[in-house]
Amino acid sequence: MCGIVGYIGPGDAKSIVISGLKRLEYRGYDSSGIAFIDDDSIIIKKKSGKVSSLDSVVKKDKIEGLCIGHTRWATHGLPNDLNAHPHFSMNKNLAVIHNGVIENYLTIKEGLVNRGYKFVSETDTEVLINLIQDVQTNEKTGLFKSIQLALSQVVGAYSIAVIDKKNSEKIVVAKKGSPLIIGVGNNENFIASDPAPFLNYTKNVIYLKDNEIAEVSASEIKIKNIKNKSKRPYIEKLNIELEAIEKGNYETFMLKEIYEQPKAIVETLRGRISSDFKRTRLRGLNENIDFLKNVKKIIIIACGTSWHAGLVGEYLIEGIARIPVEVEYASEFLYRDPLISTNDMVIAISQSGETADTLSALKLAKQRGAFVYGICNVVGSSIARSAGVGTYTHAGPEIGVASTKSFTSQVTVLILIALYLNTLKERNSSIKITELTKELVQISDKMSRTIDDINDKIIKISELYKDAKNFLYLGRGISFPVALEGALKLKEISYIHAEGYPAAEMKHGPIALIDKNMPTVIIATNKSNYEKVLINAEEIKARSGKLIAIVNKNDKQMSKIADHVIEIAETNNFLSPLITTLPLQLLSYHIAKMRGCNVDQPRNLAKSVTVE
Ligand code: M6R
């Protein structure tokens, strides 16, 4: 979604901000712009489309001292030049960039219109900057105080950066519910919505907290909260290398991230399994051991791919630890007055840690007294902070919009949680915990081998089906959520319609779609339901459907039925999603590439969805 970047200092402000905006492109956006001060005036340049279009508009500008830039993902008003950020205040003394949504903007706008304000865009952001101007004019306050007063009237989520033409020595930033990070340099400072834009300049960062406002100059950072209480800036060191956010030798981030999965899993497991494979160590769980011994129910809340990981978690926790689990779309959970008790654990899963629906659902669960646990990839993200307790996946930055390594690392954390909860009370003594844990430790090798073994075959299969109009994905048991994830992956990056279904459910409806033009991907790797899946496969072939089957190495029977088989390394049923998902990611990847789609930045999508 929207991205913020800013610089203040003696360096080349223009190129720092423009290259920063390019590093934010992965978040998904439709327009971009910058603002700077020249000869006591604020200059704004903005353009719909890619940052490269903005590049050409600012080619001749020399920007010194200070510059703020923005990538916009439209919420209020069309994605055009007018609605792009930055936005001027009506008197042109101020300019703002803004992530998030001002929920009460219409009410505020009405008041401003009555006081003679005119608006040139349809955005909530222009309302906010005019509110700040209004406060400044009426209260005769400086920029910082005016922002404080204006924000106390605002309902919604925001991170903002404001500049004032009368003071080219500072940028004022503020945050509530949407991330804002200050990169602390040597006589220069940076601001951004995530650290990617300034990672090659500094790794020292301050995560602004909700309701905090900071005045950032080249040499100083002053922070106060909305009630004017001073806060001591707390500087943390980022643990991310620049290469983690670059493509390296890969054609796309998505392909890099697919290939990175075995390594990501090793990072997720690091230090979390005892050397005798008997215990899992998760600090967040250890610290709450008494509660967990008596936990009655686990509710998992998430969106998109993270929700699919949650569904896998349901099979894992119920199967391994025998604790009832419910999995809910965060957005639905939020608005149905859910029944939550103080004996329940609510797990919020989110790669970005910024997904607005998940964050709000988590806050609701907390209010109602549940024990709330976060599984996030982005360290210091809003969900991680708001949960207070949880587990980081440590998959490394995921830049491709389509989640890949975040899915497998989330599933890995859920396996660890299930194992932990089992050993806590031996809730299912039929599970051979040590064997399962040993297999988990070795799974990354199997994942690597599988990716290497199947890629060429999947390229050939993709050639055959790249023009299909629809795809069906089927799986049973723990492979059902993997089928859902496979279908989501295909539709989001190739724009082919795809549906995931439990294999047996096919005959209750989707079977009507099957004909010679309809490819079905079926996952047939789990021994406990293999025979049943074979029957489903026969049902498809009996209707001339095309069948691509994901099977274990040396599979005998499915090979006789399916048009194509993709052989993967065999593993324990509970761990199988870590491998079965790999061919589905590669299939969607190659099909999308062959169709000429931008796999890293698919149309209309954003990497972190910070609006409800
Ligand atoms: O950052 P989150 O995990 O909370 O994001 C949730 C979804 O927006 C995300 O998984 C989305 O569905 C991906 N584009 C899927 O590839």
Side-chain angles (χ1 to χ4, degrees):
M1 293 216 140
C2 303
I4 281 178
V5 55
Y7 173 79
I8 186 157
D12 180 351
K14 182 171 82 177
S15 71
I16 292 171
V17 170
I18 295 283
S19 62
L21 289 177
K22 287 183 179 157
R23 286 210 189 273
L24 289 178
E25 287 189 298
Y26 78 94
R27 295 168 69 100
Y29 71 106
D30 44 59
S31 52
S32 62
I34 59 167
F36 53 96
I37 299 174
D38 187 27
D39 255 353
D40 295 333
S41 300
I42 293 178
I43 313 286
I44 288 181
K45 300 271 172 96
K46 45 192 190 173
K47 201 89 199 108
S48 61
K50 294 283 172 201
V51 178
S52 49
S53 327
L54 177 70
D55 236 349
S56 47
V57 177
V58 300
K59 211 186 264 159
K60 295 206 177 105
D61 292 306
K62 262 189 90 57
I63 305 177
E64 276 166 6
L66 155 168
C67 183
I68 54 174
H70 190 262
T71 48
R72 173 177 187 251
W73 188 87
T75 56
H76 298 71
L78 291 172
N80 56 26
D81 291 359
L82 265 187
N83 290 327
H85 298 207
H87 286 282
F88 273 124
S89 57
M90 199 174 77
N91 61 10
K92 296 217 158 73
N93 286 355
L94 310 174
V96 67
I97 49 178
H98 163 222
N99 288 0
V101 172
I102 309 296
E103 286 169 21
N104 57 340
Y105 85 105
L106 281 176
T107 321
I108 298 173
K109 190 172 183 175
E110 211 177 287
L112 290 169
V113 169
N114 290 339
R115 293 198 286 284
Y117 281 82
K118 301 239 170 344
F119 292 84
V120 291
S121 78
E122 300 155 88
T123 64
D124 51 342
T125 306
E126 196 188 1
V127 174
L128 176 62
I129 194 65
N130 278 326
L131 178 65
I132 297 170
Q133 177 195 318
D134 198 51
V135 172
Q136 212 176 27
T137 317
N138 292 313
E139 303 291 328
K140 309 268 180 291
T141 42
L143 181 62
F144 193 93
K145 187 77 199 162
S146 309
I147 293 177
Q148 254 177 345
L149 293 173
L151 290 179
S152 61
Q153 298 180 42
V154 159
V155 178
Y158 53 78
S159 51
I160 57 168
V162 184
I163 57 171
D164 184 340
K165 75 171 193 183
K166 293 186 188 139
N167 194 340
S168 59
E169 307 287 297
K170 62 187 176 200
I171 304 173
V172 180
V173 293
K175 162 196 156 49
K176 186 183 173 198
S178 175
L180 198 293
I181 305 168
I182 302 170
V184 184
N186 193 2
N187 224 13
E188 60 179 358
N189 286 311
F190 306 80
I191 56 151
S193 41
D194 76 45
F198 56 70
L199 210 51
N200 43 344
Y201 300 99
T202 182
K203 287 192 181 160
N204 295 327
V205 297
I206 299 167
Y207 289 95
L208 210 62
K209 297 200 185 72
D210 278 355
N211 295 314
E212 286 185 346
I213 307 175
E215 190 179 277
V216 182
S217 67
S219 56
E220 210 183 0
I221 297 158
K222 284 190 215 150
I223 304 180
K224 287 187 174 180
N225 70 8
I226 207 160
K227 296 199 171 122
N228 209 31
K229 190 162 175 245
S230 293
K231 299 275 171 171
R232 204 157 60 89
Y234 174 63
I235 301 177
E236 301 179 42
K237 195 137 207 115
L238 281 175
N239 189 16
I240 308 172
E241 294 309 320
L242 192 60
E243 67 198 38
I245 56 162
E246 289 181 336
K247 275 197 280 234
N249 293 328
Y250 288 91
E251 204 182 344
T252 61
F253 280 109
M254 184 178 173
L255 193 63
K256 177 178 179 240
E257 286 153 9
I258 290 174
Y259 273 84
E260 270 175 355
Q261 289 178 102
K263 190 173 123 237
I265 300 310
V266 171
E267 290 307 318
T268 308
L269 293 176
R270 193 177 296 289
R272 289 171 170 167
I273 291 178
S274 67
S275 53
D276 60 3
F277 305 109
K278 289 200 165 102
R279 300 253 163 252
T280 46
R281 299 192 201 99
L282 291 170
R283 213 177 58 204
L285 298 183
N286 269 346
E287 286 166 357
N288 293 282
I289 208 157
D290 291 334
F291 169 83
L292 292 168
K293 279 182 182 159
N294 299 307
V295 64
K296 291 280 174 298
K297 183 173 74 180
I298 293 177
I299 303 169
I300 299 179
I301 45 174
C303 306
T305 290
S306 298
W307 182 74
H308 295 153
L311 289 177
V312 174
E314 180 177 13
Y315 286 90
L316 291 168
I317 296 170
E318 291 200 342
I320 298 174
R322 305 306 292 157
I323 298 171
V325 177
E326 285 170 18
V327 187
E328 291 223 34
Y329 284 118
S331 53
E332 290 299 314
F333 177 83
L334 197 51
Y335 294 105
R336 67 168 186 82
D337 195 11
L339 291 170
I340 314 167
S341 91
T342 48
N343 294 320
D344 294 342
M345 175 180 187
V346 172
I347 304 180
I349 308 179
S350 173
Q351 186 288 129
S352 61
E354 301 298 343
T355 301
D357 289 320
T358 311
L359 182 60
S360 305
L362 177 149
K363 286 181 179 163
L364 176 73
K366 224 174 175 182
Q367 269 165 27
R368 301 213 171 165
F371 167 58
V372 169
Y373 201 85
I375 299 178
C376 297
N377 191 35
V378 177
V379 175
S381 54
S382 303
I383 291 174
R385 280 166 188 269
S386 202
V389 49
T391 302
Y392 284 119
T393 50
H394 294 312
E398 192 179 66
I399 309 286
V401 163
S403 299
T404 50
K405 63 176 178 174
S406 63
F407 175 74
T408 40
S409 62
Q410 288 164 347
V411 168
T412 304
V413 169
L414 289 160
I415 296 169
L416 289 172
I417 291 177
L419 290 170
Y420 183 95
L421 293 173
N422 171 292
T423 46
L424 200 59
K425 261 198 154 179
E426 277 224 9
R427 289 177 189 258
N428 186 352
S429 51
S430 68
I431 306 268
K432 298 194 177 94
I433 292 297
T434 315
E435 258 176 46
L436 186 57
T437 311
K438 244 188 210 164
E439 175 68 5
L440 177 62
V441 170
Q442 289 160 10
I443 199 97
S444 67
D445 288 342
K446 290 192 176 180
M447 292 169 81
S448 292
R449 255 183 289 138
T450 298
I451 296 175
D452 290 340
D453 288 353
I454 61 179
N455 194 41
D456 288 348
K457 182 152 197 190
I458 291 180
I459 291 174
K460 287 188 186 127
I461 296 173
S462 305
E463 277 290 354
L464 297 173
Y465 296 104
K466 65 178 192 310
D467 297 319
K469 297 273 176 290
N470 299 288
F471 258 85
L472 191 60
Y473 284 73
L474 301 177
R476 285 180 99 116
I478 203 163
S479 297
F480 161 53
V482 177
L484 290 176
E485 174 58 11
L488 175 66
K489 223 62 326 152
L490 185 72
K491 74 184 128 195
E492 71 180 327
I493 61 168
S494 74
Y495 319 135
I496 295 175
H497 174 250
E499 297 237 27
Y501 255 87
E505 191 63 21
M506 179 192 60
K507 58 188 171 295
H508 298 287
I511 200 165
L513 297 169
I514 305 284
D515 65 14
K516 64 178 179 9
N517 299 316
M518 178 80 169
T520 299
V521 179
I522 195 163
I523 304 167
T525 53
N526 297 339
K527 289 204 176 85
S528 59
N529 53 38
Y530 183 76
E531 307 296 332
K532 301 266 186 218
V533 175
L534 281 181
I535 297 171
N536 301 136
E538 295 280 14
E539 288 162 359
I540 290 165
K541 285 314 297 173
R543 285 153 186 88
S544 306
K546 293 281 181 260
L547 197 60
I548 304 162
I550 314 298
V551 296
N552 289 326
K553 262 211 155 64
N554 303 320
D555 175 278
K556 298 274 177 303
Q557 302 186 60
M558 189 56 99
S559 338
K560 292 184 194 138
I561 305 170
D563 297 275
H564 316 274
V565 289
I566 300 170
E567 292 191 333
I568 61 171
E570 187 169 353
T571 187
N572 181 290
N573 183 27
F574 286 119
L575 311 187
S576 62
L578 297 178
I579 302 195
T580 50
T581 194
L582 302 172
L584 308 191
Q585 293 169 345
L586 284 168
L587 184 68
S588 60
Y589 177 81
H590 290 300
I591 289 181
K593 285 293 290 175
M594 286 169 194
R595 289 165 69 94
C597 302
N598 180 343
V599 295
D600 283 341
Q601 291 163 34
R603 70 181 179 209
N604 304 338
L605 289 177
K607 184 64 187 163
S608 61
V609 183
T610 49
V611 292
E612 278 184 25

